């Protein structure tokens, strides 16, 4: 049981305390009539319960808040007061919006319609977040971790909200320092590793060096390990940046069809080198988009009429994602085929990369896009990797409001899907025109399909 769960139980007790106090008063009134003795025993035990609840609430260091259906704070413990800077008696009776001011990292107010409590009152489902920020009464930004749960009546209407929150500013700062250390260290180490890799490549090049076959063998192994190390440092650097929002990105209007064709033509050699069949389809099926619609917008690429799939993203970052997923498909597939496809509907542009490799066990799928996660099987033990690639992919795709996921069956293969918000052609052309206007120095990175 985690601390939040324990706290929820604590708050449950407190809420029970409030309810019991009402019963207590009722019984107290009744106690003036017949059966007074019985009721007074019950009343004192309820009073004890109330006392216990208030002891618990006062002792909890985390903030505990109870908001009624009118959005008014009914309960605010000393922990909440310490975190927010609002006194218990000040906060009680106020609308929660006045006390819990959710902001982004820069301190800009978050639109109230998407703030957690508004969502909870609307949707009635528990919300957890370890990455929130609020402004204290004095205007200081603090990092907040919280769990807010609805109090539902028999008809599942939200009667109120109970929440537990904790100031995690120190933890977040420590995390930030760790990320900075990793990014500085990996940046510093990448440079000498690149030099070693370069010299090993020269030593292995028979046009510039003469070495015997045994030395060649050793150097090849050293070269492969150095390449792996260089990739690890690069991935560490990128993931540290992705985590603290420092990933550089220069999004522009991108016609994914023409762009992906080029990316695939650069990548296909690695698949062919391994003896894998390679396929590229635009506008075909093979996706899990619901309510698929045929596209109304078409354009001409080479000689083929095909839909135009516009999105707004940095083509270099997107290339990193497709390359990573494609390289994995090749890396983990021994025989068969790697297919890359592009499809979509009016809202979504979808890239998919399918392989006939070993597949991914169901229990691993939920963890695959987490940092350092590698499926523990014979293939991954022998095939090198950092477990950072898919984490970086997720961070990049989320940067553009998209989603990446996998569907897989062990023994049959895997399909990775990348969904990006689609721009309709008219909007894309308008945006391209204004991009061209606003930046006469920087050329538009979008690839035209003509
Ligand atoms: P790695 O550097 O280990 O490849 P990734 O983050 O790119 O790291 O991938 C995480 C893990 O997901 C891999 O270690 C592997 O176990 C699994 N995986 C990724 N792609 C595939 C695939 N196409 N087929 C089977 N397993 C895969």
């Amino acid at each position: 049981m985690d601390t939040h769960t324990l706290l929820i139980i604590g708050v449950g007790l407190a809420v029970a305390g409030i309810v019991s106090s009402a019963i207590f008063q009722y019984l107290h009134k009744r106690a003036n009539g017949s059966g007074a003795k019985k009721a007074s025993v019950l009343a004192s035990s309820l009073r004890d319960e109330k006392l216990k609840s208030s002891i618990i609430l006062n002792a909890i260091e985390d903030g505990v808040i109870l908001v009624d259906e009118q959005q008014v704070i009914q309960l605010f413990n000393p922990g909440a007061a310490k975190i927010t800077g609002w006194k218990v008696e000040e906060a009680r009776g106020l609308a929660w919006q006045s006390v819990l001011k959710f902001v982004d990292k820069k301190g800009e107010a978050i639109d109230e319609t998407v703030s957690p409590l508004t969502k909870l009152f609307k949707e009635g489902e528990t919300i957890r977040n370890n990455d929130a920020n609020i402004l204290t009464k004095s205007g200081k930004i603090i990092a907040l971790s919280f769990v807010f749960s609805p109090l539902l009546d028999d008809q599942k209407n939200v009667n109120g909200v109970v929440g537990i929150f904790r100031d995690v500013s120190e933890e977040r700062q420590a995390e930030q320092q760790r990320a900075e250390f990793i990014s500085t260290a990996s940046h510093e180490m990448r440079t000498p590793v690149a030099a070693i890799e370069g010299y090993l490549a020269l030593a292995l090049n028979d046009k510039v060096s003469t070495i015997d076959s045994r030395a060649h063998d050793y150097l090849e192994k050293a070269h492969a390990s150095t390449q792996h190390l260089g990739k690890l440092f690069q991935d560490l650097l990128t993931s540290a940046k992705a985590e603290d929002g420092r990933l550089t990105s220069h999004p522009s209007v991108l016609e994914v069809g023409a762009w992906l064709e080029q990316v695939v033509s650069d990548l296909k050699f690695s698949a062919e080198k391994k003896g894998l069949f390679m396929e590229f389809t635009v506008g075909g099926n093979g996706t899990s988009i619901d309510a698929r619609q045929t596209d109304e917008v078409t354009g001409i690429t080479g000689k083929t009429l095909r839909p135009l799939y516009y999105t707004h993203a940095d083509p270099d970052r997107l290339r990193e994602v497709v390359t990573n997923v494609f390289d994995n498909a090749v890396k983990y597939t021994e025989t068969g085929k790697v297919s890359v496809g592009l499809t979509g509907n009016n809202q979504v542009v979808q890239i998919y990369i399918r392989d006939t490799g070993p597949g991914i066990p169901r229990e691993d799928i939920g963890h695959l896009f987490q940092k350092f996660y590698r499926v523990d099987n014979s293939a991954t033990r022998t095939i090198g990797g950092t477990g950072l690639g898919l984490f970086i992919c997720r961070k990049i795709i989320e940067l553009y409001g998209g989603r990446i996921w996998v569907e897989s069956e062990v023994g049959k293969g895997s399909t990775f899907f990348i969904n990006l918000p689609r721009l309709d052609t008219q909007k894309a052309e308008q945006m391209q025109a204004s991009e061209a206007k606003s930046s006469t120095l920087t050329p538009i990175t979008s690839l035209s399909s003509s």
Side-chain angles (χ1 to χ4, degrees), residues 294-423:
T294 322
D295 293 88
E296 77 298 352
V297 201
T298 54
I300 294 173
T301 316
K303 290 187 182 82
T304 338
L305 198 66
R306 66 158 181 83
L308 290 173
Y309 293 108
Y310 284 105
T311 193
H312 192 244
D314 182 333
D316 295 330
R317 287 281 172 220
L318 219 50
R319 176 184 275 269
E320 271 180 60
V321 176
V322 172
T323 304
N324 200 308
V325 177
F326 185 90
D327 283 350
N328 276 350
V330 172
K331 193 162 79 167
Y332 295 106
T333 305
E334 279 313 309
T335 53
K337 189 163 80 173
V338 176
S339 327
V340 180
L342 175 65
T343 179
N345 59 25
N346 288 340
Q347 285 83 40
V348 167
V349 176
Q350 184 174 77
I351 300 170
Y352 60 89
I353 295 160
R354 172 170 301 152
D355 64 58
T356 53
I360 299 157
R362 192 189 290 261
E363 62 273 23
D364 290 303
I365 286 184
H367 305 284
L368 218 60
F369 295 89
Q370 289 166 0
K371 218 161 54 161
F372 295 118
Y373 195 85
R374 302 198 75 209
V375 178
D376 186 21
N377 58 25
S378 55
T380 40
R381 259 176 259 129
T382 48
I383 299 169
T386 63
L388 285 168
L390 290 178
F391 169 76
I392 294 170
C393 290
R394 173 168 68 84
K395 286 287 182 183
I396 294 175
I397 293 302
E398 285 173 356
L399 217 56
Y400 306 120
R403 189 162 88 87
I404 178 168
W405 77 102
V406 64
E407 287 171 13
S408 183
E409 203 177 321
V410 172
K412 293 211 168 141
S414 314
T415 308
F416 284 80
F417 294 99
I418 300 163
N419 274 11
L420 291 161
R422 183 172 181 176
L423 294 174

Side-chain angles (χ1 to χ4, degrees), residues 177-193 229 232-234 236-237 240 246:
Q177 281 167 352
R178 222 177 9 245
E180 265 166 34
F181 169 75
I182 291 174
S183 89
T184 315
S186 41
H187 183 77
E188 291 303 316
M189 288 190 266
R190 209 175 39 149
T191 318
V193 168
L229 200 60
L232 177 63
F233 288 144
Q234 181 59 53
L236 275 173
L237 188 62
R246 284 185 299 126

Side-chain angles (χ1 to χ4, degrees), residues 33-44:
S34 63
K37 206 172 164 208
K38 242 183 177 180
S40 76
V41 172
L42 185 57
S44 82

Side-chain angles (χ1 to χ4, degrees), residues 11 14-15 18-19 50 57 64-77 80 87-97 99-100 117 121 151 159-163:
V11 173
V15 174
I18 292 167
V19 175
K50 196 184 172 209
L57 282 177
V64 178
I65 189 170
L66 177 71
V67 178
D68 68 14
E69 74 271 30
Q70 309 294 324
Q71 321 251 335
V72 172
I73 299 174
Q74 291 299 340
L75 188 152
F76 199 74
N77 75 335
K87 289 193 185 126
V88 172
E89 54 280 11
E90 279 175 343
R92 227 185 278 141
L94 286 180
W96 66 264
Q97 293 90 333
V99 176
L100 292 182
L117 269 95
F121 270 107
L151 298 172
N159 264 350
V161 166
V162 59

Side-chain angles (χ1 to χ4, degrees), residues 198-220:
Y199 283 117
L200 286 174
L202 280 176
L204 284 166
N205 184 341
D206 54 16
K207 290 195 186 101
V208 283
S209 318
T210 320
I211 46 170
D212 67 25
S213 69
R214 195 189 285 190
H216 194 275
D217 197 29
Y218 294 154
L219 288 182
E220 235 170 26

